[in-house]
Amino acid sequence: MTTISSKLNNPPPFLELFGFKYADYNESENTYICYFEPTIDLTHSDGTVVQGGFVSGMLDTSMAQHIIFLTKGEMTGLTLDIDVKFYKPCAPGPVEAISKIIQFGKSIAFTEAQLFQNGKLIASATATNKLAPLKI
């Protein structure tokens, strides 16, 4: 497995809220992996379950950052639609969001991502992304 560590330039502040740690690009599998560590502050149910909107946000972030990485920071993927499936509760602690580009066109990209915790699939998502210039 060939991985390239990805340092985000000027990361948006919300990534800190999600507990973003770092990202890797797996060149051989063309996947982008975002590592998060959500805290108890993002939970309900007495601090045991990360709220679904935050889980969705981590999946969405991974897909968008994958597009930014592949375009060398020139483009971003504005989410036109996202479909999220939840399989298991996400607890506070380390998670990995692994994204793939399904189709990359001139103005639209189709992406998918899976969120894992302790080696178990927690949630997955597919999205349609409008490609737009990234303004830095």
Side-chain angles (χ1 to χ4, degrees):
M1 175 165 106
T2 304
T3 60
I4 301 166
S5 272
S6 174
K7 181 180 181 303
L8 302 180
N9 295 325
N10 303 318
F14 75 86
L15 287 180
E16 187 176 329
L17 176 70
F18 286 168
F20 178 80
K21 298 300 179 189
Y22 64 98
D24 288 325
Y25 176 69
N26 182 324
E27 192 170 22
S28 61
E29 295 182 16
N30 191 25
T31 58
Y32 193 82
I33 307 111
C34 287
Y35 299 90
F36 298 94
E37 195 163 337
T39 66
I40 197 168
D41 294 338
L42 303 184
T43 65
H44 58 77
S45 302
D46 294 326
T48 61
V49 178
V50 175
Q51 196 270 343
F54 295 117
V55 170
S56 300
M58 288 183 264
L59 290 162
D60 190 36
T61 294
S62 179
M63 293 183 281
Q65 291 299 322
H66 195 164
I67 291 168
I68 293 168
F69 177 81
L70 288 180
T71 63
K72 296 178 176 43
E74 292 182 17
M75 304 292 279
T76 189
L78 304 176
T79 305
L80 296 175
D81 71 21
I82 186 168
D83 182 32
V84 180
K85 305 282 190 241
F86 300 94
Y87 306 110
K88 295 183 179 299
C90 181
V95 296
E96 299 174 2
I98 303 172
S99 68
K100 290 184 177 184
I101 305 292
I102 304 305
Q103 183 72 35
F104 202 93
K106 292 180 182 177
S107 63
I108 300 288
F110 298 94
T111 56
E112 68 180 19
Q114 296 179 313
L115 189 73
F116 292 89
Q117 188 168 50
N118 300 321
K120 295 180 181 165
L121 180 62
I122 301 298
S124 65
T126 57
T128 305
N129 305 274
K130 171 72 176 154
L131 300 176
L134 184 65
K135 296 183 176 155
I136 298 176

